[in-house]
Amino acid sequence: MNTKIKKIGVLTGGGDCPGLNAVIRAVTKTAIRQYNMEVVGIINGFSGLIHNDLRDLTEKEVSGILPRGGTILGTTNRDNPFHYPVKINGETVYQDVSDQVIENMKKAGIDALAIIGGDGSLAIANDFVNKGIPIVGIPKTIDNDLSATDLTFGFDTALTTASEAIDKLHTTAESHHRVMVLEVMGRYAGWIALQAGLAGGADVILIPEKPFSIDNVCDKIEERANKGRKFSIVVVAEGAAAKGGEMVVQRVVEGSPDPVRLGGVGNQVANAIERGTGKETRVIVLGHLQRGGSPTAYDRILGTRYGVKAVELLANGQYAQMVALKGTEIKAVPLESAIKKLKQVDPEGELVKAAESVGISFGTDYLK
Ligand code: F6P
């Protein structure tokens, strides 16, 4: 065991997701119980390191947080120390304050960082690795779009929320003979839409990886109606787009590592279905409900395993790594590799084929 690390700083960066507290708890307990280290919680992501907003974490501090959604440390997806907004004479300019962060770490006696984040926060973590800071990354995001791990924690809870929403929509859709369009999150990946659609028995699933034709979506709904199924459930990923069309951008968040916020495709699809089929159609945007609430048992366990492994790596001097799920095992992968490539649904893969086999349409029959 490498005993160089006496004090670990832990932070949560980017959008929150269920399971963050499970990781914070596991990091704290493992560091204290197994390695006799101290743990400092950094408040509101990297912002806490810029402003010296720190809080000692003891076993007592993390007691009872396992089932809680959100993060007891707070988070932000705006404060990138390498591109930090500062007001000068009323104008916002962006400065590199990373040296200040390193100075603050030294003053607080923090030897290493466990950074819990998605691609944005892990990219910042990698920039600090390049400045010589011992870091281990822990992958979180409901989108499940990090290529170096089979799963991110938070995804299973979001998926469960979306599947339950589909179950609830089924009963009201069936009663009113309506089309229900459910827009779910996922950014540029269709994992939530595809798997929630499969679990909830959707009739149509639209994902970014398979550009759709609205005529094909309408055909599927009419084909069902002709067979006596007078209602239909359409699940749309926020990043889905028609063939030859663009993703629908809802807003641009200045200062965020990825400033584009998607949203609005559900409304467009619902309007087009109503025009194309004459069927009464409603749209439901599930939004941040997918990020909230208590983590599922799966996410609590995955978060705990990630937290334990992250501290083990730091204690053994294995820095610049990210913990990852590979098959059934928790492994270490180079942090750099984790941020290189977005993990998207294979449009011809087994999950898509399984969905097609049970009659789900992706609105892509034009390809056949
Ligand atoms: O990355 C997680 C996520 O929830 C995406 O699915 C979604 O596109 C985005 O974050 C929403 O971000 P915000 O919370 O800034 O609106």
Side-chain angles (χ1 to χ4, degrees), residues 151-171:
L151 269 179
T152 52
F153 69 88
F155 173 68
D156 186 65
T157 309
L159 179 57
T160 303
T161 299
S163 308
E164 284 171 6
I166 298 172
D167 288 349
K168 288 180 178 167
L169 290 176
H170 255 115
T171 57

Side-chain angles (χ1 to χ4, degrees), residues 275-292:
R275 273 198 310 272
T277 65
K279 285 192 156 299
E280 197 176 359
T281 305
R282 294 284 188 273
V283 60
I284 299 89
V285 179
L286 204 50
H288 290 79
L289 283 174
Q290 291 156 101
R291 294 235 302 258

Side-chain angles (χ1 to χ4, degrees), residues 77 141-143 185-187 238 261 288 291:
N77 52 14
T141 166
I142 63 164
D143 304 332
M185 283 183 166
R187 279 204 312 178
E238 62 182 358
R261 293 294 177 275
H288 290 79
R291 294 235 302 258

Side-chain angles (χ1 to χ4, degrees), residues 26-327:
V27 166
T28 305
K29 281 179 172 274
T30 307
I32 294 171
R33 295 172 79 93
Q34 304 300 325
Y35 301 101
N36 204 20
M37 295 171 178
E38 287 178 69
V39 184
V40 173
I42 297 156
I43 306 303
N44 295 331
F46 289 100
S47 168
L49 281 176
I50 298 168
H51 302 293
N52 255 324
D53 200 356
L54 310 171
R55 162 179 159 193
D56 288 339
L57 291 180
T58 62
E59 286 202 75
K60 188 159 173 266
E61 291 274 329
V62 299
S63 164
I65 67 172
L66 186 58
R68 269 169 63 183
T71 161
I72 59 163
L73 298 176
T75 187
T76 173
N77 52 14
R78 287 167 185 250
D79 293 342
N80 176 356
F82 293 88
H83 189 68
Y84 185 67
V86 182
K87 278 244 186 272
I88 295 181
N89 299 331
E91 289 251 321
T92 303
V93 292
Y94 289 88
Q95 291 183 346
D96 179 349
V97 296
S98 56
D99 288 337
Q100 187 184 323
V101 162
I102 295 173
E103 199 49 42
N104 288 345
M105 274 181 67
K106 276 193 194 139
K107 276 192 203 140
I110 299 172
D111 305 308
L113 295 174
I115 293 181
I116 314 169
D119 55 355
S121 305
L122 294 177
I124 298 171
N126 199 49
D127 290 341
F128 277 112
V129 163
N130 293 333
K131 293 192 96 164
I133 304 296
I135 288 178
V136 167
I138 302 166
K140 67 89 222 185
T141 166
I142 63 164
D143 304 332
N144 197 32
D145 59 356
L146 293 178
S147 58
T149 182
D150 289 355
L151 269 179
T152 52
F153 69 88
F155 173 68
D156 186 65
T157 309
L159 179 57
T160 303
T161 299
S163 308
E164 284 171 6
I166 298 172
D167 288 349
K168 288 180 178 167
L169 290 176
H170 255 115
T171 57
T172 174
E174 194 164 8
S175 305
H176 282 269
H177 321 292
R178 279 174 176 160
V179 179
M180 291 288 186
V181 176
L182 178 70
E183 180 183 308
V184 297
M185 283 183 166
R187 279 204 312 178
Y188 310 114
W191 295 108
I192 298 178
L194 173 58
Q195 298 200 34
L198 266 169
D203 305 299
V204 178
I205 300 174
L206 305 178
I207 56 175
E209 296 84 347
K210 287 179 88 70
F212 64 88
S213 137
I214 199 70
D215 288 346
N216 290 132
V217 174
C218 292
D219 285 352
K220 171 73 184 177
I221 291 165
E222 278 170 345
E223 177 199 307
R224 277 175 53 79
N226 292 340
K227 288 183 183 159
R229 309 294 280 156
K230 304 276 181 218
F231 73 96
S232 285
I233 304 285
V234 180
V235 179
V236 190
E238 62 182 358
K243 194 171 179 239
E246 302 273 320
M247 291 184 186
V248 185
V249 175
Q250 191 196 47
R251 65 170 70 200
V252 173
V253 181
E254 289 304 333
S256 177
D258 179 2
V260 172
R261 293 294 177 275
L262 300 171
V265 65
N267 253 313
Q268 292 190 357
V269 167
N271 290 339
I273 290 173
E274 205 161 69
R275 273 198 310 272
T277 65
K279 285 192 156 299
E280 197 176 359
T281 305
R282 294 284 188 273
V283 60
I284 299 89
V285 179
L286 204 50
H288 290 79
L289 283 174
Q290 291 156 101
R291 294 235 302 258
S294 182
T296 57
Y298 187 90
D299 277 338
R300 293 180 203 187
I301 295 167
L302 185 59
T304 300
R305 293 172 77 197
Y306 278 166
V308 170
K309 181 73 176 183
V311 176
E312 188 188 302
L313 292 175
L314 287 173
N316 290 332
Q318 286 175 267
Y319 313 137
Q321 304 290 305
M322 185 187 84
V323 296
L325 182 73
K326 297 281 183 189

